[in-house]
């Protein structure tokens, strides 16, 4: 099962243009973590930023602006 998960994560890394390095790292580290009964490790590097919304940065639906 862990090898299937690693395979799927590697496949996703090739198809996801912005998250490919994170997915590849997960494919490498997570199967080892699962086999060792450890919590899933996060890849090294800066924390991932949330994706920008279609409305622009800092704007969310229902924020009370003039567009509401």
């Amino acid at each position: 099962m862990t090898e299937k998960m690693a395979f799927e994560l590697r496949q996703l890394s090739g198809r996801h243009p912005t998250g490919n390095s994170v997915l590849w790292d997960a494919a490498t580290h997570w199967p080892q973590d699962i086999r060792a009964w450890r919590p899933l490790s996060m890849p090294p590097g800066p924390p991932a930023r949330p994706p920008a919304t279609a409305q622009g940065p800092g704007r969310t639906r229902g924020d009370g602006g003039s567009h509401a």
Side-chain angles (χ1 to χ4, degrees), residues 4-66:
K4 176 69 173 165
M5 178 187 64
F7 173 79
E8 294 296 334
L9 287 167
R10 283 191 297 270
Q11 293 289 52
L12 286 171
S13 76
R15 297 179 184 178
H16 196 288
T18 58
N20 60 353
S21 64
V22 174
L23 290 165
W24 185 264
D25 286 343
T28 304
H29 296 278
W30 288 3
Q32 296 168 4
D33 292 339
I34 290 170
R35 283 192 291 273
W37 291 93
R38 293 187 300 250
L40 298 179
S41 59
M42 296 303 292
R49 291 188 300 172
T53 65
Q55 298 170 343
R59 306 263 324 237
T60 58
R61 199 175 282 176
D63 65 357
S66 60

